[in-house]
Amino acid sequence: MKRLCVIGDPVEHSKSPVIQTAMIRAAGLDMSYDAQWVTAGYTKAWLEYAKREGWAGFNATMPHKQALVKLVDELSDDASRIGAVNTVCIRDGKAYGHNTDGAGFLRALRLAGMDPQDRCVLVLGAGGAAKAVVYALLRSGARKVVVANRTVKHAGALCSQLGIPGAMACGFSRETLYRWAAQSQLLVNCTSLGMTGTDSQFEDLSFLDRLPREAGVFDLIYSPARTALLERAEQLGLNTANGLDMLIWQGVYALELFADKRLDETALAAEACKALEGML
Ligand code: NAP
């Protein structure tokens, strides 16, 4: 049996064991999946241990995603560009690092009817998730991606590190958000504002009023299912989606990497969704 897990600190909140176990069962794979508490600074020690003890792979959440970039033996193009690894496959003692967050986001976006092709996209936030999102948007033909962040220099660093033309950084002031919202057909929230467990909320959501009527609003947050941002966007009649499908689809793609074959993706995503019912 292939042993798999998610590593992180904290890791108790991770939904990966629930999602992966449901999908493994549905696909009839000979695998087990659990959560392992690994603290910052122990990423290298964990990887060596996992190789030695015959683990088949693992997913990584905070604070390991960036550290793994330098530790794995081979890195996929996506993981290299994004600068973060969320999936590691171990084969014949070698560790292969991947990032499925960008692909998961894109699948969820398209399922919500928000194709980024030739669109101008306003991305709020410039943390780890934003990097995968901006990369995926540019790779899938977005015309322009404007990254608005409280700390402008984080947005600037994100745009330059990706090394793909089409992204630009700006601040988070009301005027700036008004200006770019008016020119965008899609808005993606990658900040943690409004997430369950944080006190921080958007102080002002009036920038949503500036979006064109046909615009889509995608919030990476899935708990709560409807943030204040999504509620306001819905009231305005805009197309909206939360981050649940992104969470599920990054997991589907990770399982395909662990299994080293294509699986029935739609059936597995449905199983994962069912397993999460009532948990968020
Ligand atoms: P992160 O690296 O910590 O980045 C957080 C971002 O939020 C930064 O841009 C930060 O701005 C901004 N921010 C935090 N507090 C703020 C405030 N009070 N006002 C304005 N901006 C603020 O986090 P992450 O890993 O990118 O995750 C971001 C969100 O995406 C989280 O809610 C997470 O749950 C969600 N997420 C969802 C999925 C999914 O599968 N659906 C996957 C990954 C992440 P500064 O740079 O100025 O600090």
Side-chain angles (χ1 to χ4, degrees), residues 37-55:
W37 179 51
V38 179
T39 53
Y42 283 86
T43 325
K44 187 168 186 273
W46 160 264
L47 186 60
E48 283 164 3
Y49 165 81
K51 282 181 177 179
R52 202 171 54 241
E53 295 297 315
W55 288 76

Side-chain angles (χ1 to χ4, degrees), residues 125-130 149-151 154 172 190-193 195 200 220-222 243 246-247:
N149 197 46
R150 176 179 61 176
T151 314
H154 293 167
F172 215 65
C190 301
T191 74
S192 45
L193 292 170
M195 187 174 74
S200 331
L220 258 61
I221 294 171
Y222 49 83
M246 174 178 172
L247 174 76

Side-chain angles (χ1 to χ4, degrees), residues 192 194-200 223-224:
S192 45
M195 187 174 74
T196 302
T198 61
D199 298 334
S200 331
S223 176

Side-chain angles (χ1 to χ4, degrees), residues 180-198:
W180 288 112
Q183 298 176 51
S184 301
Q185 294 81 44
L186 176 62
L187 180 141
V188 185
N189 177 38
C190 301
T191 74
S192 45
L193 292 170
M195 187 174 74
T196 302
T198 61

Side-chain angles (χ1 to χ4, degrees), residues 38 47 86 135 147 192 213 260 276:
V38 179
L47 186 60
N86 79 333
Y135 170 76
V147 185
S192 45
R213 294 289 134 229
D260 201 19
L276 285 172

Side-chain angles (χ1 to χ4, degrees), residues 133-145:
V133 162
V134 175
Y135 170 76
L137 288 168
L138 291 171
R139 284 296 295 263
S140 57
R143 183 164 43 82
K144 180 177 194 165
V145 180

Side-chain angles (χ1 to χ4, degrees), residues 3-11 14-21 23-24 31-38 43 46-47 50 55-66 68 72 84-90 96-101 246-259:
R3 266 190 310 160
L4 301 162
C5 67
V6 55
I7 63 163
D9 181 24
V11 76
S14 172
K15 299 290 174 276
S16 291
V18 173
I19 293 175
Q20 294 294 348
T21 302
M23 295 194 299
I24 286 166
M31 296 173 168
S32 68
Y33 193 106
D34 62 20
Q36 297 285 329
W37 179 51
V38 179
T43 325
W46 160 264
L47 186 60
W55 288 76
F58 56 92
N59 289 118
T61 182
M62 260 184 23
H64 303 291
K65 288 186 177 189
Q66 271 93 9
L68 281 164
V72 294
V85 167
N86 79 333
T87 304
V88 176
C89 298
I90 303 176
Y96 299 83
H98 302 269
N99 189 307
T100 65
D101 284 335
M246 174 178 172
L247 174 76
I248 289 172
W249 281 95
Q250 61 77 29
V252 171
Y253 295 135
L255 186 59
E256 288 187 320
L257 288 166
F258 293 139

